[in-house]
Amino acid sequence: MDGSPPAQRALRWAAGQARLTGARLHVVTAWELPSYHGWAPPAPYDEDLAATAGKVLSISVREVLGDEPSDLVVAESVVPGHPVQVLVDASARAALLVVGCRGHGAFTGALLGSVSQQCVQHSRCPVVVVRGSG
């Protein structure tokens, strides 16, 4: 969950599926240090990124699901690493992985490297890619 509209649509869809199946909803966000050749950030830098990612995650979950949804068990995780690797790793313990798609059009949407495409190719469980603007 990165707070983007596609991620919010995916969370909305996943919440509906969790309600239908009685499953627990685990919402994950990933963060990683930006890489700059020849420069290393000071040690507390990663803590700030993790805290910021956690705030974005919590705010996004509340915006989509409300303050405390009584009909869902929701867990939130902030995990260091590249989004693809974090989600593929999480898929090993999941019944279903739901990701959003930014939908940049036919050509750029087909390019290798997008998170959703990499998750579809490497996930260890079924994947739903939520597209569209609704």
Side-chain angles (χ1 to χ4, degrees):
M1 165 56 78
D2 62 7
S4 67
Q8 289 181 339
R9 284 191 296 275
L11 176 56
R12 198 170 294 113
W13 191 96
Q17 182 67 16
R19 286 182 178 105
L20 287 172
T21 61
R24 181 176 79 134
L25 181 62
H26 189 175
V27 188
V28 178
T29 192
W31 66 273
E32 64 182 344
L33 289 173
S35 59
Y36 299 103
H37 181 67
W39 178 79
Y45 190 75
D46 59 343
E47 293 172 18
D48 293 341
L49 286 177
T52 299
K55 287 177 188 174
V56 169
L57 174 65
S58 293
I59 289 168
S60 297
V61 168
R62 300 305 164 265
E63 285 177 357
V64 173
L65 303 179
D67 286 332
E68 292 187 34
S70 60
D71 57 343
L72 281 175
V73 176
V74 180
E76 297 178 16
S77 294
V78 178
V79 182
H82 188 275
V84 171
Q85 190 62 56
V86 167
L87 292 171
V88 168
D89 289 348
S91 74
R93 300 173 305 281
L96 181 67
L97 178 64
V98 180
V99 294
C101 180
R102 294 195 187 274
H104 292 295
F107 178 72
T108 55
L111 293 175
L112 288 174
S114 75
V115 171
S116 58
Q117 184 173 3
Q118 293 296 315
C119 286
V120 166
Q121 291 175 335
H122 301 289
S123 179
R124 297 180 193 130
C125 69
V127 179
V128 171
V129 179
V130 178
R131 297 182 57 112
S133 59

